[in-house]
Amino acid sequence: MDSIYQLGKAEKNIKKKLLLFNKTINYGWYYGEYDKAIRIGKESLKLAHKYKHDSIAALIDNNIGIAYDYKGEYYKALSHFFTALDVAEKINDTRNQSYILSNIGLIYNTQGINDKALLYHQKSLQLRRKLKVKEGISASITNIAIVLMDTKQYEKAIHYYMEALSIDKELGDSIGLGDDYSNIGVCFQEQKQYKKAEYYHLKSLRIREKMGSIPSICNSKLNLGVVAIKQGKLKEGKKYLHESKEFFEKIGQKEALRFIYQSYSELGEKQGNYKLAFEYLKKLNKIKEELADAKNIREQTQQEMNYQFDKEREQQRIEKVKSNLENKKKQEQALIINLAIAIVGIMILIFSIILYRRWNEVKKQKVIIEEKNRQVEEKNHEILDSINYAKRIQTAILPSVQLLERVLPEHFVLYEPKDIVAGDFYWLEETKDSIIFAVADCTGHGVPGAMMSVVCHNALNRSVKEFGLRNPGEILDKTREIIVDELSKNQQDVFDGMDISLCAWNKATNQISWAGANNPLWIWKKQSKEIVEIKPNKQPIGKHFDMKPFTSHLVELEKGDRIYLITDGYADQFGGLESKKFKAKNLKNLIIQISNEKIHQQVNILKSTFFEWRGNLEQIDDVCIMGIEIE
């Protein structure tokens, strides 16, 4: 930082000098030298304004704002951000606009004003996608994920972080990767998945140690300390907490100290050192009171902050009006001297009247358009509410978590609808002799697929409960008969239906009877570590040009064998570097690779692999996979 500042002082070219000063400020806030960065920034601003380097002044204002943000002086930070944004908009510097919008979003996020934070981050992401700046896209995606994490939407946040991680890996962005791994770790930490949290925090720490950013390193050590104590690794946790505590106490970072003091109190309690536990409990309560006071102050001064911004903007407008009036006075003096110019002035007046009338007409049309837009928004809201309610209904017909855990202790279900509601569903029915379960893929996805799934789900229930069928082939035959009958009542040919993989498991004998319509059964054999595939009948459950009875297969299984029922959504997803399908072969290989993992832990690996593969591409179909281990 000091070396670059000295280079700037020695540089004769004003533009190069200012750019070096701006880089100095950038290093200042990154390495925690906030006051120094602000002092150099204000000196540099005077020079930039003197020589009318507005674009560089905007860069400097932005970096000063970041320094104030880290100090917790949010009003001053916003003042510099909005000044920089105003300049960037005037000179049409969209790249800098996207960066400043992102920083404003972070301020509102820090204050807990999540709706405003999300608005500014989405504006920033929109500009960055237009510019196709990958590092910027990654940063905006990360910022949106932070808002989701703060509102406890951890699964959504992890999906966004994984998308950012994929971009940062491609770019080789060490700072971004350090932040991505840290944020993913915090999500798992909040969900009490401490081993996963520790894994991601360690990856973050290794990257940040190479970069040499003390605040970031201490942040990773703080997270590792918290996770270590939660896992009972008290000596390791104390070491991490001590290393981070000295730095955060020095800079007075209260949010970080709150976690440190809480973990120290927990450490004392677990060690039986109640004096230490009580000492840090008192410190924790004091920090909480200070943070609560700070929150109250923020709420009390919110109106003042808005007033200050409006006052500054109004003053700028008045100055602009004064300048316009002075120019108009000079023009009027010139018009008096020259009669010809006066005639031109009259023509301008007539033209202005015409424009005013036109403007009035446009204004009326704008009101009409806004009303139409409002009506469209209301309709969209009503439709979305209806679809969300339909999701609740569809979720209600799926087997409950409690039922699955009771009858299938060693299992997982990966269920990722493409839209709010889905055409894929999973189904289970417990009988006296066996457990009958299935994974199905109905025609279409979204609302049409969901409607079809209700028809097919009802047909399966009737085949087992009403008609008392237990043989999978016979169940599929009867289900097809019910569905064809239901869809042919208006005397029109409807060829919709479903593909399905259906098992009847006799737990006493470990025998499985299985039948499938277009969807296969995969069996991972513990002894050979390979997957055996049983082929389905190549016909759907629905009207078909050549309808044949479905074949039932009897399979002998051994303890430790695993069976997988799948739909085609996972294998058909486009992604990767060449935007190709994932393919069933690669899914088989993935299941074999993760076979050492417990069955209920495989779902996380399958899910993260799917979203990493998909990247920025749209999900093309519903995804449903059920895995069961034979006891």
Side-chain angles (χ1 to χ4, degrees):
M1 180 182 177
D2 291 333
S3 300
I4 296 171
Y5 181 61
Q6 292 304 322
L7 284 173
K9 289 180 71 174
E11 177 60 53
K12 300 297 182 184
N13 183 288
I14 297 298
K15 185 176 181 180
K16 291 180 180 178
K17 179 190 286 287
L18 287 170
L19 289 172
L20 285 167
F21 285 163
N22 183 60
K23 195 170 185 180
T24 304
I25 305 161
N26 195 313
Y27 275 111
W29 61 253
Y30 183 76
Y31 288 104
E33 297 281 352
Y34 308 128
D35 291 330
K36 197 171 185 179
I38 291 166
R39 178 178 56 78
I40 294 171
K42 289 183 176 180
E43 291 173 1
S44 305
L45 271 180
K46 291 178 183 177
L47 193 63
H49 292 316
K50 179 180 178 181
Y51 289 95
K52 302 188 185 305
H53 283 291
D54 293 339
S55 60
I56 301 176
L59 296 175
I60 294 170
D61 265 316
N62 185 47
N63 273 320
I64 294 173
I66 295 172
Y68 273 125
D69 178 15
Y70 279 121
K71 287 191 70 179
E73 298 182 32
Y74 303 123
Y75 161 65
K76 292 180 181 179
L78 281 174
S79 179
H80 283 278
F81 286 148
F82 279 117
T83 301
L85 183 62
D86 187 48
V87 174
E89 287 174 347
K90 285 178 180 176
I91 64 176
N92 199 28
D93 184 355
T94 50
R95 188 185 184 98
N96 201 22
Q97 280 181 56
S98 68
Y99 189 26
I100 298 164
L101 287 167
S102 180
N103 288 334
I104 293 171
L106 290 171
I107 290 280
Y108 284 119
N109 183 223
T110 304
Q111 291 183 299
I113 308 173
N114 295 316
D115 53 346
K116 271 196 174 184
L118 199 58
L119 175 67
Y120 278 101
H121 289 321
Q122 286 170 339
K123 285 181 178 179
S124 174
L125 180 59
Q126 187 178 12
L127 286 177
R128 284 168 167 172
R129 288 199 190 281
K130 285 182 180 178
L131 293 168
K132 298 181 180 178
V133 181
K134 288 192 175 181
E135 61 269 23
I137 293 170
S138 171
S140 288
I141 289 170
T142 298
N143 290 335
I144 291 170
I146 290 170
V147 177
L148 293 170
M149 185 168 66
D150 287 349
T151 52
K152 303 187 185 305
Q153 301 179 64
Y154 300 118
E155 290 297 326
K156 284 187 178 179
I158 289 171
H159 291 171
Y160 274 94
Y161 285 135
M162 287 296 185
E163 186 176 352
L165 181 66
S166 176
I167 296 171
D168 292 335
K169 281 181 179 178
E170 182 183 342
L171 295 171
D173 180 359
S174 297
I175 295 174
L177 287 170
D179 292 343
D180 295 335
Y181 287 127
S182 177
N183 288 326
I184 294 169
V186 171
C187 282
F188 283 120
Q189 187 175 316
E190 290 296 324
Q191 295 180 91
K192 299 183 180 180
Q193 298 185 44
Y194 298 122
K195 286 194 176 297
K196 288 186 178 179
E198 181 182 22
Y199 169 78
Y200 283 104
H201 286 321
L202 281 171
K203 288 178 79 74
S204 174
L205 177 60
R206 293 189 193 105
I207 291 171
R208 287 171 167 177
E209 283 177 337
K210 290 180 181 178
M211 297 299 297
S213 171
I214 301 302
S216 299
I217 291 169
C218 289
N219 178 263
S220 288
K221 288 184 176 180
L222 162 59
N223 288 328
L224 283 165
V226 171
V227 170
I229 289 172
K230 292 291 184 185
Q231 295 182 92
K233 302 175 183 178
L234 305 184
K235 187 175 180 181
E236 181 182 330
K238 184 178 180 181
K239 174 178 174 292
Y240 281 126
L241 288 176
H242 178 72
E243 291 173 354
S244 61
K245 175 174 163 289
E246 289 184 353
F247 174 77
F248 287 121
E249 283 184 336
K250 179 182 176 183
I251 67 170
Q253 174 55 268
K254 292 177 184 177
E255 286 288 352
L257 290 174
R258 178 166 67 90
F259 290 105
I260 292 171
Y261 293 161
Q262 183 174 340
S263 295
Y264 260 111
S265 180
E266 188 177 339
L267 172 66
E269 185 180 353
K270 288 187 176 181
Q271 289 179 330
N273 186 348
Y274 299 108
K275 183 179 179 182
L276 179 70
F278 183 65
E279 176 189 345
Y280 277 97
L281 185 60
K282 287 194 295 182
K283 289 186 176 185
L284 173 61
N285 289 333
K286 184 179 178 183
I287 283 287
K288 284 182 176 179
E289 288 174 5
E290 290 173 358
L291 285 170
D293 289 342
K295 183 180 179 182
N296 290 333
I297 291 167
R298 285 201 301 270
E299 291 172 351
Q300 293 165 11
T301 58
Q302 182 66 44
Q303 293 300 321
E304 180 185 352
M305 289 168 61
N306 291 338
Y307 168 74
Q308 290 291 347
F309 289 132
D310 291 340
K311 185 178 177 182
E312 288 179 11
R313 291 294 177 91
E314 181 63 18
Q315 187 60 38
Q316 291 173 5
R317 189 189 67 79
I318 291 170
E319 291 298 327
K320 189 173 182 180
V321 169
K322 284 182 179 179
S323 175
N324 289 340
L325 286 172
E326 289 175 1
N327 291 335
K328 188 175 181 181
K329 187 176 180 180
K330 291 176 182 178
Q331 290 172 1
E332 287 174 350
Q333 290 172 348
L335 287 172
I336 292 170
I337 295 170
N338 195 323
L339 180 61
I341 297 175
I343 294 170
V344 172
I346 294 170
M347 293 174 64
I348 290 171
L349 180 61
I350 295 169
F351 187 62
S352 297
I353 292 170
I354 295 170
L355 282 177
Y356 175 75
R357 289 177 178 173
R358 178 61 182 162
W359 173 81
N360 221 11
E361 184 181 339
V362 169
K363 188 178 179 181
K364 291 177 182 176
Q365 291 175 349
K366 183 182 178 184
V367 171
I368 295 170
I369 291 168
E370 286 176 350
E371 176 61 22
K372 292 292 183 184
N373 287 339
R374 186 190 64 77
Q375 291 174 5
V376 170
E377 286 178 5
E378 284 183 1
K379 289 295 181 185
N380 286 341
H381 186 70
E382 289 173 5
I383 292 168
L384 189 59
D385 284 348
S386 298
I387 294 172
N388 282 323
Y389 192 78
K391 177 179 175 62
R392 291 174 58 189
I393 296 171
Q394 188 177 45
T395 302
I397 68 174
L398 296 175
S400 68
V401 174
Q402 293 78 9
L403 175 62
L404 288 168
E405 289 181 348
R406 180 172 63 80
V407 301
L408 299 172
E410 297 298 325
H411 81 283
F412 74 78
V413 177
L414 173 59
Y415 187 56
E416 291 291 336
K418 177 187 183 298
D419 301 307
I420 298 173
V421 289
D424 283 16
F425 69 93
Y426 50 99
W427 175 86
L428 182 143
E429 186 65 37
E430 185 180 17
T431 68
K432 183 179 179 181
D433 303 321
S434 60
I435 299 163
I436 307 171
F437 51 92
V439 162
D441 180 1
C442 296
T443 306
H445 48 74
V447 174
M451 293 178 69
M452 195 66 213
S453 74
V454 173
V455 174
C456 295
H457 184 277
N458 181 57
L460 281 169
N461 281 341
R462 289 186 61 195
S463 298
V464 174
K465 293 180 180 179
E466 183 180 332
F467 294 96
L469 300 176
R470 299 293 180 265
N471 180 279
E474 294 175 359
I475 292 171
L476 295 189
D477 289 336
K478 177 54 72 175
T479 300
R480 177 173 61 188
E481 180 185 327
I482 294 169
I483 289 171
V484 171
D485 181 60
E486 287 292 328
L487 297 180
S488 302
K489 288 183 177 179
N490 62 358
Q491 299 181 347
Q492 292 184 2
D493 287 333
V494 179
F495 289 89
D496 292 331
M498 69 174 169
D499 298 337
I500 190 170
S501 179
L502 185 140
C503 285
W505 177 17
N506 187 324
K507 295 182 76 171
T509 63
N510 267 346
Q511 284 184 328
I512 280 186
S513 181
W514 174 85
N518 289 328
N519 285 349
L521 174 68
W522 290 356
I523 304 172
W524 178 82
K525 304 294 290 181
K526 183 177 181 181
Q527 187 173 2
S528 65
K529 310 292 184 184
E530 296 293 333
I531 289 178
V532 176
E533 179 176 338
I534 301 179
K535 302 288 186 181
N537 291 95
K538 291 298 181 181
Q539 58 180 352
I541 304 295
K543 186 170 286 188
H544 188 59
F545 66 90
D546 184 20
M547 293 192 290
K548 296 178 180 178
F550 286 93
T551 306
S552 292
H553 301 264
L554 190 62
V555 183
E556 296 284 346
L557 297 174
E558 299 176 359
K559 183 178 180 181
D561 289 351
R562 295 168 178 172
I563 59 176
Y564 296 89
L565 286 67
I566 61 171
T567 62
D568 58 4
Y570 199 110
D572 287 347
Q573 179 60 46
F574 289 96
L577 295 176
E578 298 180 359
S579 298
K580 292 183 177 180
K581 284 188 178 182
F582 192 85
K583 296 184 180 178
K585 180 182 177 182
N586 291 326
L587 179 55
K588 280 185 183 178
N589 291 335
L590 176 59
I591 291 172
I592 292 170
Q593 288 171 16
I594 64 175
S595 59
N596 290 331
E597 299 286 341
K598 292 183 178 180
I599 189 76
H600 60 271
Q601 292 175 339
Q602 291 183 356
V603 66
N604 293 323
I605 301 172
L606 288 167
K607 185 185 289 187
S608 62
T609 302
F610 178 79
F611 284 105
E612 282 188 30
W613 173 262
R614 195 194 81 183
N616 295 326
L617 298 180
E618 181 184 358
Q619 184 172 331
I620 66 167
D621 199 1
D622 303 320
V623 172
C624 189
I625 301 177
M626 180 183 283
I628 299 103
E629 183 170 327
I630 303 303
E631 301 172 335

